[in-house]
Amino acid sequence: MSQSMTKLAPAFVILAGAVGLGGCATKSYVREQIAPVSQRVDSLETRLQQTDGTAKSALAEAQAASGQAQNNGQRLDQITGRVDGIDQRLQVQEKQRKRPRN
């Protein structure tokens, strides 16, 4: 054996060991490793859909309540105007009663 060959022999052994030990992962191994993460993602997606549904429902209820509040405000404004008119008529009547008659 030549001297250069004896120097290169350990390098070939290390290279062969690295190639042999560093093989690719099998599909089943990858599936096993991904399965717990996939289950958690599925669970989170389900919870997200439920939360989204709850949020949409709450938004619809809030919008309905806002519309009802606007209607109530308009009715209150109308009633306030009518009450003010009645109050003015009562004040006029009271003034007429308090005037001394000659």
Side-chain angles (χ1 to χ4, degrees):
M1 230 186 207
S2 71
Q3 197 174 18
S4 63
M5 199 60 152
T6 55
K7 290 182 180 178
L8 291 177
F12 284 123
V13 170
I14 292 173
L15 182 63
V19 169
L21 294 175
C24 296
T26 62
K27 288 182 182 181
S28 62
Y29 175 79
V30 172
R31 286 184 188 131
E32 287 175 14
Q33 298 302 312
I34 297 296
V37 175
S38 180
Q39 289 173 351
R40 288 186 66 194
V41 168
D42 291 343
S43 173
L44 290 173
E45 282 179 348
T46 301
R47 287 177 56 194
L48 177 62
Q49 288 174 351
Q50 290 171 346
T51 303
D52 187 48
T54 301
K56 286 180 180 178
S57 175
L59 177 61
E61 289 179 23
Q63 288 172 336
S66 175
Q68 186 63 42
Q70 282 182 328
N71 289 340
N72 291 343
Q74 290 171 351
R75 290 181 65 203
L76 185 59
D77 289 342
Q78 291 171 351
I79 291 171
T80 300
R82 290 173 61 188
V83 168
D84 288 344
I86 292 170
D87 187 44
Q88 287 175 357
R89 283 188 280 173
L90 285 174
Q91 287 177 4
V92 168
Q93 287 177 358
E94 286 179 9
K95 285 181 184 178
Q96 288 175 353
R97 286 184 196 162
K98 290 182 181 180
R99 288 186 189 164
R101 295 185 183 180
N102 296 357

